[in-house]
């Protein structure tokens, strides 16, 4: 089956080019070598994309407990997953404790984490 036939039979669909994803990650890292980068999981939680950008040295910006779990499942190490969103519940915090870097977004969250 050629690519055009595949697209016609499976439209609508997303097609990802791993080579392009890797090239763009490397280009960004080379251009701004003094910085570390986080991939925002909410922008595209497709596992293969997360795994790819993680292999290129990107960490994860997680906005939910589920995004923390998705990041771990796709190879991003806990010390490179940053969980920051206002209104985290005690359940969210308990689920993610020691699985990521927790960022308290308020004084009340500091108390919950404590």
């Amino acid at each position: 089956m050629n690519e055009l036939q595949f697209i016609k039979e499976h439209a609508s669909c997303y097609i990802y080019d791993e080579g392009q994803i890797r090239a763009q990650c490397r280009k960004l890292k080379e251009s701004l070598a003094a910085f570390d980068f986080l991939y925002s999981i909410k922008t595209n939680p497709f596992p293969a994309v997360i795994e790819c950008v993680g292999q290129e040295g990107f960490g994860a910006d997680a906005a939910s407990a589920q995004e923390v779990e998705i990041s771990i499942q796709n190879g991003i190490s806990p010390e490179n997953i940053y969980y920051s969103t206002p209104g985290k519940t005690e359940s969210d915090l308990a689920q993610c404790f020691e699985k990521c870097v927790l960022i308290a977004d308020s004084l009340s969250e500091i108390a919950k984490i404590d």
Side-chain angles (χ1 to χ4, degrees):
M1 175 182 307
N2 69 34
E3 290 133 359
L4 186 56
Q5 182 181 355
F6 177 86
I7 292 169
K8 285 180 181 178
E9 290 179 13
H10 295 88
S12 76
C13 63
Y14 291 98
I15 298 175
Y16 299 97
D17 184 329
E18 181 179 345
Q20 281 297 313
I21 293 170
R22 290 185 185 281
Q24 292 301 318
C25 288
R26 291 174 186 159
K27 182 178 177 181
L28 183 61
K29 289 184 74 161
E30 289 169 7
S31 297
L32 300 168
F35 296 93
D36 292 325
F37 293 94
L38 301 176
Y39 175 73
S40 177
I41 301 302
K42 69 180 154 273
T43 61
N44 185 341
F46 185 57
V49 172
I50 296 168
E51 184 177 353
C52 182
V53 297
Q55 289 172 353
E56 291 301 322
F58 282 56
D61 170 30
S64 69
Q66 182 182 12
E67 290 179 6
V68 169
E69 296 294 336
I70 290 169
S71 300
I72 291 167
Q73 291 167 5
N74 290 286
I76 299 183
S77 61
E79 65 272 7
N80 291 321
I81 302 169
Y82 292 80
Y83 180 19
S84 175
T85 191
K88 292 185 258 336
T89 66
E90 287 185 25
S91 175
D92 293 335
L93 293 167
Q95 181 181 342
C96 295
F97 194 73
E98 295 186 347
K99 291 183 178 179
C100 62
V101 176
L102 290 171
I103 300 172
D105 293 293
S106 67
L107 293 174
S108 63
E109 275 190 10
I110 292 172
K112 287 178 187 177
I113 293 169
D114 188 40

